[in-house]
């Protein structure tokens, strides 16, 4: 992409209506535009980041054997009446009438619809387990939409659903998602802690919220610091290994305020390890047995011939919220610089030539480098405008493109000035630059 041809409407100043960094930055660099309260258009830069996040989320779902499908955004009220949630869900549900006066709704979540799809075709335990997911827009008529796309009304979510024959098998499914979430957030360079959570309107028995630390987060959290040292390395997708992984995390106290108990906290966590802070919920997993399969009559034949309701779980990731959450986690307040993880950066490298009347060759050279990098599958943007050098650099520091190639006075012959945001510049050949980038990408 050449900046002169791009649609990146950058604002001169931070918009006054935005209170937190991610909201300010996303408006400032033209990633999103509000269309009405809590409803946003995703402009090219923001859309690109969201799509890269979506790709990682998808790969990690597929890795545990979940299958992707796509359910509609608009649902019929019938199935919600069957489950009993049509009234229960309250004003957060956007209700719509079609021209035949039928009650429809914009889906806030999909337990009912997926159960209806499942029950219409799966009849035997032999088809279990089934792990199904989609990545689709949701609508929740939040009372106070705020912080941009962090708490909005229309948002993009990955929601998965598991169907199993028994509690034991269902727990195995739950644990697969537990693992896949740890891996997903790691690839996004986030430390997301699984915290024991309330099951809320979804209902059920077992639940974890995946929370990243951020002062601007809306969840109050109480945790044992030692949980930050854990990881999922070496876990295999088999029952014992995954149960051990979850237990390893559950050994440490980590809860949101709904589950907080002062006595437990003080008893279970030595004083030096206690951490009380705030965080952003980026994912949430639930096990709820037959809460939906029973009212919706989704049963299968068991080996002995008897019939039973399937045991279900549901597993959400806030794909659009993650765009903001990554900014909250990666923005450097002191230097006013954003640095996107390479895995989801809107562009991986920016080429910044010094362009003035006497230096037409610099633009020529930068175009050659641009083509070379493109051919190596590197996501690159070239600033071909005649803005001055330092304001170009400021612009890319603000957008957060993690690497920059500076074709100024310091680039001589075959050696190019190459900068990783926050680090000292290096003088490298183009081949060395490609090597650095490709090696990093292989590790994502
Ligand atoms: P919250 O507690 O933040 O309101 P929730 O518990 O109601 O979220 P879930 O039903 O667990 O949300 O949805 C799964 C994920 O979808 C959440 O972990 C979050 O990342 C995302 N999400 C939920 N509500 C919103 C929203 N209003 N705007 C953006 N993302 C959201
Ligand atoms: Mg939740």
């Amino acid at each position: 992409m050449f900046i002169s041809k791009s649609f990146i409407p950058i604002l001169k100043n931070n918009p006054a209506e935005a209170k937190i960094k991610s909201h300010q930055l996303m408006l400032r660099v033209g990633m999103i535009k509000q269309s009405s309260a809590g409803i946003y258009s995703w402009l090219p830069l923001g859309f690109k980041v969201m799509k890269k996040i979506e790709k990682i989320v998808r790969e990690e779902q597929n890795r545990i054997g979940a299958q992707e499908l796509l359910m509609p955004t608009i649902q019929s009220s019938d199935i919600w009446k069957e489950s009993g949630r049509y009234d229960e869900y309250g004003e957060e549900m956007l209700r719509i009438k079609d021209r035949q006066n039928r009650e429809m709704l914009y889906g806030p979540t999909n337990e009912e619809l997926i159960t209806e799809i499942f029950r219409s075709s799966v009849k035997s335990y032999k088809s279990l387990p089934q792990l199904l997911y989609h990545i689709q827009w949701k609508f929740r008529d939040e009372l106070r939409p705020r912080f941009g796309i962090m708490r909005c009304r229309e948002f993009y979510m990955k929601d998965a659903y598991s169907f199993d024959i028994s509690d034991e098998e269902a727990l195995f499914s739950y644990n697969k998602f537990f693992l896949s979430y740890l891996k997903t957030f790691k690839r996004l360079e986030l430390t997301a802690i699984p915290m024991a959570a309330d099951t809320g309107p979804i209902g059920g028995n077992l639940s974890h919220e995946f929370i990243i630390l951020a002062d601007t987060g809306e969840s109050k959290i109480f945790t044992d610091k030692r949980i930050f040292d854990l990881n999922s390395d070496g876990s295999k997708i088999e029952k014992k290994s995954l149960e051990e992984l979850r237990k390893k995390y559950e050994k440490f106290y980590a809860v949101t305020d709904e589950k907080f108990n002062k006595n437990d906290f003080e008893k279970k966590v030595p004083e030096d390890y206690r951490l009380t802070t705030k965080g952003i919920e980026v994912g949430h997993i639930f096990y709820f047995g037959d809460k939906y399969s029973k009212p919706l009559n989704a049963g299968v034949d068991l080996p002995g011939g008897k019939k039973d309701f399937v045991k279900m779980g549901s597993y959400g990731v806030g794909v659009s919220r993650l765009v903001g959450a990554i900014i909250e986690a990666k923005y450097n307040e002191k230097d006013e610089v954003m640095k996107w993880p390479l895995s989801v950066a809107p562009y991986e490298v920016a080429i910044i030539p010094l362009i003035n009347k006497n230096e037409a060759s610099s633009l020529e050279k930068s175009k050659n480098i641009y083509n070379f990098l493109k051919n190596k599958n590197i996501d690159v943007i070239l600033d071909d405008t005649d803005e001055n050098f330092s304001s170009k650099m400021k612009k890319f520091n603000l957008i957060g493109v993690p690497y920059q190639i500076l074709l100024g006075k310091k680039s001589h012959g075959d050696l190019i000035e190459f900068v990783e945001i926050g680090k000292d510049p290096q003088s490298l050949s183009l081949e060395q630059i490609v090597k650095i980038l490709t090696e990093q990408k292989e590790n994502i």
Side-chain angles (χ1 to χ4, degrees):
M1 178 57 66
F2 285 19
I3 273 272
S4 64
K5 305 280 186 302
S6 70
F7 189 86
I8 306 178
I10 294 184
L11 307 175
K12 276 223 162 58
N13 298 303
N14 276 337
E17 74 266 28
K19 302 237 170 0
I20 65 170
K21 198 63 240 170
S22 57
H23 190 196
Q24 288 168 0
L25 194 81
M26 290 181 79
L27 292 173
R28 174 94 185 263
V29 303
M31 295 177 76
I32 50 169
K33 184 177 184 315
Q34 183 171 317
S35 85
S36 58
I39 303 181
Y40 289 84
S41 297
W42 288 78
L43 306 185
L45 207 62
F47 189 63
K48 219 164 161 230
V49 174
M50 188 166 71
K51 285 284 150 181
K52 287 190 180 183
I53 295 173
E54 178 184 348
K55 181 169 177 277
I56 290 176
V57 170
R58 174 176 289 117
E59 284 170 4
E60 293 304 325
Q61 294 295 291
N62 294 345
R63 207 191 294 278
I64 56 163
Q67 302 162 74
E68 187 170 14
L69 48 72
L70 184 60
M71 291 175 267
T73 54
I74 306 291
Q75 304 179 18
S76 157
S77 64
D78 293 349
I79 41 174
W80 288 75
K81 286 177 183 161
E82 267 188 68
S83 75
R85 276 209 294 182
Y86 192 56
D87 294 326
E88 200 180 289
Y89 214 94
E91 299 206 289
E92 258 187 32
M93 180 186 278
L94 180 67
R95 294 151 209 261
I96 311 163
K97 281 218 172 113
D98 70 10
R99 64 201 297 168
Q100 319 289 355
N101 221 23
R102 277 184 295 241
E103 289 175 320
M104 313 293 286
L105 56 102
Y106 194 128
T109 178
N110 283 55
E111 281 80 10
E112 283 78 359
L113 191 51
I114 194 77
T115 307
E116 203 270 322
I117 292 170
F118 176 89
R119 76 178 177 195
S120 66
S121 55
V122 181
K123 303 291 178 207
S124 161
Y125 75 95
K126 288 182 188 145
S127 310
L128 301 184
Q130 286 292 336
L131 312 183
L132 301 169
Y133 75 99
H134 75 161
I135 306 177
Q136 177 64 292
W137 294 94
K138 304 287 182 293
F139 195 97
R140 294 182 188 174
D141 203 353
E142 299 268 356
L143 185 60
R144 283 203 309 130
R146 57 196 175 276
F147 308 144
I149 49 81
M150 298 285 261
R151 179 164 303 284
C152 49
R153 298 199 295 166
E154 192 182 43
F155 59 96
Y156 202 44
M157 194 209 280
K158 185 284 300 178
D159 40 324
Y161 304 88
S162 62
F163 300 86
D164 280 283
I165 187 177
S166 63
D167 281 328
E168 189 196 332
E169 292 299 320
L171 209 58
F172 183 29
S173 293
Y174 185 93
N175 291 341
K176 287 179 194 168
F177 284 99
F178 191 94
L179 171 73
S180 113
Y181 278 32
L182 291 174
K183 289 194 182 277
T184 302
F185 298 127
K186 186 167 179 217
R187 287 180 67 188
L188 300 173
E189 288 184 23
L190 294 173
T191 310
I193 303 298
M195 305 208 167
D198 248 11
T199 46
I202 308 263
N205 325 327
L206 180 63
S207 175
H208 288 88
E209 284 179 354
F210 287 75
I211 301 219
I212 64 163
L213 300 190
D215 294 337
T216 49
E218 292 190 275
S219 307
K220 196 148 191 236
I221 56 178
F222 305 84
T223 181
D224 187 322
K225 285 182 198 164
R226 287 171 292 184
I227 203 166
F228 292 99
D229 301 330
L230 301 179
N231 62 56
S232 64
D233 292 356
S235 307
K236 293 193 214 71
I237 305 182
E238 51 165 62
K239 271 187 193 150
K240 194 158 158 275
S241 174
L242 291 184
E243 187 66 14
E244 279 167 8
L245 174 69
R246 204 186 82 239
K247 290 270 156 65
K248 189 168 89 176
Y249 276 86
E250 284 176 341
K251 235 175 58 202
F252 293 106
Y253 192 87
V255 301
T256 58
D257 47 358
E258 290 137 5
K259 283 241 159 170
F260 176 64
N261 177 301
K262 193 162 176 279
N263 282 339
D264 282 355
F265 189 43
E266 287 171 0
K267 204 168 79 203
K268 290 183 182 157
V269 188
E271 203 170 345
D272 286 354
Y273 294 119
R274 282 178 214 155
L275 177 68
T276 302
T277 182
K278 285 186 187 151
I280 300 167
E281 180 191 324
V282 285
H284 199 165
I285 60 180
F286 302 88
Y287 174 55
F288 44 72
D290 60 8
K291 183 171 193 276
Y292 298 94
S293 55
K294 201 169 172 182
L296 287 162
N297 196 22
V300 290
D301 296 327
L302 301 180
K306 279 209 311 211
K307 225 176 141 80
D308 199 7
F309 301 115
V310 281
K311 313 283 185 190
M312 292 174 58
S314 77
Y315 315 88
V317 170
V319 176
S320 53
R321 178 181 283 182
L322 271 166
V323 180
I326 293 172
I327 297 175
E328 294 298 329
K330 299 289 168 191
Y331 185 79
N332 178 330
E333 199 78 51
K334 197 172 115 256
D335 303 327
E336 293 189 20
V337 174
M338 173 62 200
K339 186 184 177 207
W340 287 101
L342 192 60
S343 58
V344 298
Y347 289 96
E348 291 160 357
V349 192
I351 304 175
I352 308 177
L354 173 69
I355 299 176
N356 59 36
K357 285 184 209 84
N358 312 322
E359 302 240 7
S361 65
S362 167
L363 183 59
E364 253 345 278
K365 185 173 175 187
S366 65
K367 283 182 183 167
N368 289 337
I369 294 176
Y370 177 88
N371 288 328
F372 185 83
L373 294 178
K374 273 257 154 209
N375 279 330
K376 302 279 178 194
N377 259 332
I378 288 166
D379 196 0
V380 52
I381 186 162
L382 164 60
D383 196 338
D384 57 339
T385 63
D386 49 19
E387 265 176 74
N388 71 48
F389 205 55
S390 79
S391 54
K392 281 182 182 174
M393 277 165 59
K394 272 203 197 119
K395 177 168 61 193
F396 287 106
N397 284 345
L398 188 68
I399 294 177
V401 179
Y403 293 96
Q404 299 167 2
I405 287 174
L406 307 179
L407 296 173
K409 297 202 177 82
K410 285 190 198 142
S411 286
H412 295 296
D414 288 338
L415 287 185
I416 298 166
E417 207 185 350
F418 181 66
V419 189
E420 176 178 354
I421 287 188
K423 300 207 172 138
D424 290 335
Q426 293 173 276
S427 238
L428 299 175
S429 71
L430 203 47
E431 279 74 17
Q432 286 173 313
I433 292 174
V434 170
K435 190 160 175 271
I436 289 177
L437 291 171
T438 14
E439 275 176 8
Q440 291 231 31
K441 278 178 19 168
E442 276 161 15
N443 291 331
I444 292 170

